[in-house]
Amino acid sequence: MTAPLRPTEPITVPVALGARAYEIVIGRGLVASLGERIKTLRPGARAAIVSDETVARFHLGAVEAALKSAGIDSAHIIVPAGEGSKNYATFETVCEAIIGARVERNDLIVALGGGVIGDLAGFAASCVRRGLDFVQVPTTLLAQVDSSVGGKTGINSRQGKNLIGAFHQPVLVVADTALLDTLPKREFCAGYAEVAKYGLLGDAAFFSWLEKNWQGVFAGGDSSRGLAREHAIAVCCRAKAAIVARDERETGERALLNLGHTFGHALEAGCGFSDRLLHGEAVALGMALAFEFSAQKGLLTASEAARATAHLAAVGLPTHLKDVRGGVPAVDALMDLIAQDKKVKRGTLTFILVRGIGRAFIENNVDAAEVRKFLEHKLASA
Ligand SMILES: NC(=O)c1ccc[n+]([C@@H]2O[C@H](COP(=O)([O-])OP(=O)(O)OC[C@H]3O[C@@H](n4cnc5c(N)ncnc54)[C@H](O)[C@@H]3O)[C@@H](O)[C@H]2O)c1
Ligand SMILES: [Zn+2]
């Protein structure tokens, strides 16, 4: 017999940003309490829910019902699913729809979706009427551990990703882990790369825990099956919240969160941001390369780098260039993409390197020629 699903005690993670402080609440079945939480935070507020077509099909009904049961009037604005919606045209549609729904200064935007919706709806919230409050209800693992926390919002420019945007913190993040049950396995796995990232960059004990408990994180389930998923998400949110509280605008330490992203972004761009390589998959591959590159520089042993890579591979993430369907660009193109992503200063690049698992640091003086040689070697053996 299957045990009945019961909501578990939520975990609360505070984000300490002074006047802009807010809470991340994590737990299974939390959407049911969304209306009450919003009512407590902003009595009398109305809400406009922004979502994408896929997420809306699965979860809009429950969110609307939760708001209604708390007496909150809501409108919904649904955009096509996918990265393509982070463009000017959709941004305009969302802003006009928010105004059309007569959302006023004391009302709220609810971003119901993955990172695309969080970034798009958050940016619209930052602009309409010179700034509306918004609540994040992240529905992908990536969004629950990364994009919904920290206040980066925006859309893509024709010249690059996330180039138009604003820092705009949410007033509340409700991470309902049951929403992830409808997420395709490949998307969940890609989001897991960001989970592993927190262990690899600054928390060796968490990384060891993940090596033992990752199956529980993937399985999810009610409290009778353990709370591995909730625990993992909470650890990631605590880590991100601490970094963001110390460096909200990425003038220093926040850059550590880019572990694996310099190589990763170049590979992602090289695949045309297509479904040949999802963001998290590119990050997994980028982290494997960052560990190997660091080992080659003598910063850590090859066996410790291999341990990091082995875990990513064990959960099903790509860790070798040959894992990328359709292949990757040649070294010249990759180096151009790396140079575009991170400013090159007199032949040196900024990279997040590692001295071991959980020991990442920012290195501003990486020789571009050395990176090139490393990639040439990797491509030759791919
Ligand atoms: N703001 C930040 O700090 C930050 C950080 C990392 C990434 N991002 C951004 O996040 C975006 C990627 O986010 P993402 O990976 O969540 O992508 P996404 O929002 O496109 O979601 C991935 C896919 O899963 C579907 N989906 C979402 N939730 C679902 C659910 N519960 N059930 C079934 N299907 C569901 C979506 O419709 C979409 O097709 C990128 O645009 C990236 O730039 C932002
Ligand atoms: Zn990322």
Side-chain angles (χ1 to χ4, degrees), residues 52 55 83 86 114-116 119 139-140 147 152 161 179 182:
D52 75 32
V55 176
E83 186 71 26
K86 270 174 64 173
V116 164
D119 283 10
T139 65
T140 63
S147 62
K152 282 191 186 176
K161 254 178 75 101
L179 299 181
T182 57

Side-chain angles (χ1 to χ4, degrees), residues 293 297 335 346-349 351 365-372:
F293 183 65
K297 286 174 76 67
M335 288 308 293
R346 296 174 203 282
T348 63
L349 297 162
F351 260 84
N365 269 312
V366 177
D367 183 4
E370 196 182 343
V371 174
R372 187 188 179 88

Side-chain angles (χ1 to χ4, degrees), residues 87-97 120:
N87 66 1
Y88 291 110
T90 314
F91 175 68
E92 181 182 350
T93 305
V94 171
C95 290
E96 292 296 332
L120 173 71

Side-chain angles (χ1 to χ4, degrees), residues 52 54-55 58-59 81-83 86 113-117 119 139-140 142-143 146-149 151-153 156 161-162 179-184 187 194 240 254 279:
D52 75 32
T54 308
V55 176
F58 287 115
H59 304 297
E83 186 71 26
K86 270 174 64 173
V116 164
I117 290 299
D119 283 10
T139 65
T140 63
L142 178 135
D146 191 357
S147 62
S148 69
V149 177
K152 282 191 186 176
T153 71
N156 301 327
K161 254 178 75 101
N162 300 325
L179 299 181
L180 306 182
D181 292 348
T182 57
L183 195 61
E187 291 285 352
E194 306 278 3
K240 181 152 186 186
R254 188 165 177 170
H279 173 76

Side-chain angles (χ1 to χ4, degrees), residues 36-340:
E36 289 303 328
R37 289 175 193 279
I38 289 179
K39 198 161 92 179
T40 308
L41 207 63
R42 293 285 183 281
R46 296 171 66 247
I49 306 161
V50 181
S51 194
D52 75 32
E53 282 161 1
T54 308
V55 176
R57 198 164 60 241
F58 287 115
H59 304 297
L60 180 64
V63 169
E64 285 181 325
L67 296 182
K68 195 168 171 209
S69 71
I72 298 171
D73 209 21
S74 72
H76 59 252
I77 300 159
I78 311 299
V79 305
E83 186 71 26
S85 280
K86 270 174 64 173
N87 66 1
Y88 291 110
T90 314
F91 175 68
E92 181 182 350
T93 305
V94 171
C95 290
E96 292 296 332
I98 292 171
I99 298 164
R102 295 191 303 280
V103 172
E104 312 217 335
R105 283 299 290 276
N106 51 343
D107 295 331
L108 281 164
I109 305 300
V110 175
L112 172 68
V116 164
I117 290 299
D119 283 10
L120 173 71
F123 185 44
S126 81
C127 292
V128 175
R129 298 188 188 277
R130 298 201 178 82
L132 297 168
D133 284 347
F134 84 117
V135 174
Q136 290 267 21
V137 184
T139 65
T140 63
L141 181 58
L142 178 135
Q144 295 196 350
V145 299
D146 191 357
S147 62
S148 69
V149 177
K152 282 191 186 176
T153 71
I155 58 172
N156 301 327
S157 145
R158 279 175 209 96
Q159 300 177 65
K161 254 178 75 101
N162 300 325
L163 292 179
I164 316 292
F167 281 97
H168 188 53
Q169 299 290 345
V171 294
L172 172 70
V173 181
V174 174
D176 181 339
T177 53
L179 299 181
L180 306 182
D181 292 348
T182 57
L183 195 61
K185 169 92 189 293
R186 186 177 172 201
E187 291 285 352
F188 191 95
C189 197
Y192 184 87
E194 306 278 3
V195 174
K197 181 186 79 177
Y198 290 99
L200 291 172
L201 79 85
D203 191 341
F206 179 51
F207 186 77
S208 300
W209 183 88
L210 287 173
E211 287 178 311
K212 291 185 201 82
N213 295 284
W214 67 270
Q215 274 116 333
V217 178
F218 274 69
D222 70 337
S223 53
S224 67
R225 296 171 67 188
L227 294 171
R229 184 183 284 177
E230 289 70 22
H231 173 72
I233 292 169
V235 171
C236 298
C237 287
R238 269 187 218 112
K240 181 152 186 186
I243 291 175
V244 168
R246 289 192 294 262
D247 180 20
E248 187 181 4
R249 296 197 166 234
E250 198 168 320
T251 52
E253 182 189 1
R254 188 165 177 170
L256 288 174
L257 297 169
N258 295 333
L259 174 63
H261 282 63
T262 301
F263 286 127
H265 280 154
L267 293 166
E268 210 182 347
C271 293
F273 297 102
S274 68
D275 70 355
R276 273 172 54 208
L277 191 66
L278 301 180
H279 173 76
E281 294 169 343
V283 170
L285 195 39
M287 290 193 294
L289 292 171
F291 267 78
E292 245 181 276
F293 183 65
S294 301
Q296 211 170 84
K297 286 174 76 67
L299 292 165
L300 78 164
T301 62
S303 68
E304 196 169 0
R307 179 182 160 205
T309 304
H311 177 59
L312 299 171
V315 307
L317 284 162
T319 54
H320 293 288
L321 293 173
K322 65 171 164 38
D323 295 339
V324 180
R325 265 194 296 143
V328 295
V331 76
D332 285 338
L334 278 179
M335 288 308 293
D336 282 349
L337 289 164
I338 287 174
Q340 269 168 32

